[in-house]
Amino acid sequence: MSLNARLIKESFALVEPVAGRASAYFYGLLFAHRPSLRGMFPPDMAAPRGRLFDVLRRVVRELDSPEGLTSYLAGLGRDQRRYGFSPEHHTAAGAALLATMRRFAARIWTEETEAAWSEAYAMASRIMIDAAAAETTPPWWLAEVTGHEARCRDIAVLTLRPSQRMDFVPGQHVPVQTARWPRVWRRFSIANAPRADGTLRLHVRAVPGGWVSSALVRHTRPGDQLLLGPPAGTMAPPESDRDLLCVAGGTGLAPIKAVMEHVIASGRRPNIHLLFGVRHAGDLYDMPDLTRLAAGFPWLRVLPVVSDDPAYQGLRGRLPDVVDAFPSWTGHEVYVCGPPPMVDATVRRLRRSGVPLARIHRDADPERDRDRSDPTETAGTPDRFLAGFESKT
Ligand SMILES: Cc1cc2nc3c(=O)[nH]c(=O)nc-3n(C[C@H](O)[C@H](O)[C@H](O)COP(=O)(O)OP(=O)(O)OC[C@H]3O[C@@H](n4cnc5c(N)ncnc54)[C@H](O)[C@@H]3O)c2cc1C
């Protein structure tokens, strides 16, 4: 490990246990020196504060693997374009970060530590700024809601038409902002393979008290405009011709459906088993569509699984147990998406039964069920956009 990396890790280890106070201090300083930046963040700063340390933790952890770190930082830089972050903002954030580390790691802070952080920040911000400058896709897309179907108590399927072409890989997700909650972004998986008319579908569950999900499910109508950020995520369709096992919990069905649609459209003919798990039979929100998909592709078997409804006549149980009850999936390519505990338990069972990790594709984001993402995740949108943001919400 280089001296610089060691100094950064040692000082960060002192600050991490007081991350809450340190991030409050960071944003306090940032806004005190650059009050105009406050307008780029949402009213509730809990998420950006939490996310600041998520990012720092990841960067510090990856200091010794420059390749992974560079690609992570480049992704952050590209994503930050949707907030209108400029090189100037990076300078202000760097000064606030250094002051924060200096204060909370004062016990061991030296000139060398200061130089190590300063150099690392300069390197990181350069990668982010360059990646943002090199990106040619739009920083955000306006999208019109062209369809809004309430599928069950708390789930709606939205169809969106972006104003410009948006390329994405089946399995990816997009950040979404509604006019009801300016500057608040949440991610939702794209639930279809790319279509000729460019439309996207989202499967949204309104979580109790949820800002964005409730706005999308209960207060959004056709004709409304949403704002979408660049698609992201590493889940992608298989390159092999192996049979597929797809395990979807609730709206975890969305990215899996996109992958299945892509495989079906590719002309390949693998057998696909879809285990679609929900708590109550009434939550099987996409059965008519799935049945239609299976009717046109006889190699697809859709198996709804219900966990908390003793009266349900079909497959009952928790998804990890049901997956385990089948003879063997070792020859399959596997896709798993849903609440993290369900995904973790399913992956553990599959691994134990001999499915190689390389063949298990999961939505790698541990925050899927509780989206608290990058500072950027809830940071603002350029005013020039907000000024023109029309919605009927
Ligand atoms: C990569 C990724 C993909 C995602 N894809 C989808 C998708 O396709 N469909 C979808 O519906 N959601 C999806 N999510 C979750 C989504 O991004 C939001 O986190 C979720 O909609 C809640 O946001 P909110 O603003 O409504 O709630 P918030 O205002 O953030 O939270 C309000 C309250 O609800 C709690 N809460 C937040 N999320 C949940 C939850 N999931 N269950 C129970 N309580 C919760 C919070 O702790 C808080 O107390 C995805 C998340 C990630 C990270």
Side-chain angles (χ1 to χ4, degrees):
M1 189 191 307
S2 74
L3 176 64
N4 277 7
R6 187 170 60 74
L7 292 173
I8 288 173
K9 286 185 183 197
E10 283 170 4
S11 47
F12 186 68
L14 274 191
V15 184
E16 204 182 359
V18 288
R21 278 198 293 135
S23 54
Y25 184 78
F26 167 85
Y27 280 110
L29 270 185
L30 186 64
F31 298 150
H33 286 114
R34 297 293 305 271
S36 63
L37 278 177
R38 181 63 183 94
M40 298 176 77
F41 287 80
D44 179 0
M45 285 296 295
R49 281 191 198 136
R51 181 58 181 165
L52 172 69
F53 267 76
D54 289 347
V55 171
L56 286 174
R57 233 172 254 125
R58 170 123 186 221
V59 170
V60 170
R61 194 178 62 227
E62 293 197 8
L63 278 174
D64 302 315
S65 52
E67 227 168 79
L69 183 56
T70 302
S71 109
Y72 175 64
L73 290 169
L76 271 186
R78 281 191 291 273
D79 196 42
Q80 282 173 346
R81 295 174 312 135
R82 72 185 140 112
Y83 314 106
F85 274 23
S86 68
E88 238 190 297
H89 297 141
H90 280 277
T91 310
L97 181 65
L98 242 76
T100 304
M101 292 302 150
R102 196 183 301 125
R103 178 186 170 107
F104 287 89
R107 200 149 52 77
I108 59 164
W109 198 260
T110 62
E111 272 178 26
E112 287 77 23
T113 319
E114 173 103 11
W117 274 95
S118 179
E119 214 175 281
Y121 186 81
M123 181 272 296
S125 59
R126 178 48 47 207
I127 293 170
M128 289 192 270
I129 291 166
D130 288 350
E135 185 61 46
T136 53
T137 59
W140 66 82
W141 284 255
L142 259 180
E144 182 184 344
V145 178
T146 58
H148 186 283
E149 300 167 47
R151 290 283 181 88
C152 62
R153 215 168 7 112
D154 51 5
I155 296 183
V157 172
L158 280 71
T159 307
L160 312 179
R161 188 171 51 220
S163 56
Q164 298 177 62
R165 180 193 162 97
M166 176 192 269
D167 292 323
F168 66 92
V169 177
Q172 285 192 310
H173 45 80
V174 279
V176 177
Q177 186 181 139
T178 76
R180 202 164 247 256
W181 293 107
R183 302 188 294 280
V184 178
W185 294 89
R186 298 285 186 260
R187 287 178 281 175
F188 293 91
S189 299
I190 301 171
N192 55 282
R195 295 172 167 175
D197 67 1
T199 56
L200 313 176
R201 279 195 152 191
L202 306 181
H203 296 177
V204 184
R205 172 189 297 280
V207 306
W211 286 12
V212 176
S213 61
S214 301
L216 291 174
V217 172
R218 310 204 193 287
H219 304 284
T220 300
R221 296 288 167 265
D224 286 350
Q225 303 274 359
L226 301 177
L227 189 59
L228 307 179
T234 51
M235 197 149 105
E239 283 163 10
S240 75
D241 284 332
R242 276 195 197 88
D243 289 343
L244 257 64
L245 165 65
C246 298
V247 187
T251 55
L253 174 65
I256 283 185
K257 198 172 170 197
V259 168
M260 291 192 315
E261 280 189 10
H262 172 88
V263 169
I264 292 171
S266 73
R268 281 184 261 158
R269 298 284 173 263
N271 290 304
I272 305 177
H273 279 83
L274 168 65
L275 295 173
F276 174 32
V278 296
R279 293 215 164 130
H280 304 281
D283 301 331
L284 289 166
Y285 68 90
D286 204 35
M287 286 314 289
D289 254 27
L290 292 173
T291 308
R292 245 191 318 274
L293 203 59
F297 187 80
W299 300 271
L300 169 62
R301 274 192 77 194
V302 178
L303 300 165
V305 181
V306 172
S307 61
D308 293 8
D309 192 344
Y312 181 67
Q313 296 293 316
L315 261 179
R316 275 189 284 126
R318 292 171 59 253
L319 279 172
D321 301 330
V322 174
V323 166
D324 229 8
F326 283 79
S328 169
W329 301 110
T330 49
H332 285 63
E333 206 76 45
V334 184
Y335 284 80
V336 192
C337 192
M342 167 245 135
V343 172
D344 290 344
T346 304
V347 171
R348 264 198 309 275
R349 298 286 185 94
L350 289 163
R351 292 282 293 127
R352 221 183 296 152
S353 73
V355 180
L357 199 53
R359 276 201 231 132
I360 303 177
H361 310 263
R362 54 186 290 175
D363 202 326
D365 201 318
E367 298 175 67
R368 181 180 178 86
D369 210 29
R370 194 189 54 84
D371 195 5
R372 289 282 174 267
S373 306
D374 49 66
T376 55
E377 192 60 34
T378 43
T381 302
D383 287 342
R384 68 179 181 282
F385 169 73
L386 287 175
F389 194 11
E390 278 186 350
S391 165
K392 295 174 185 140
T393 54

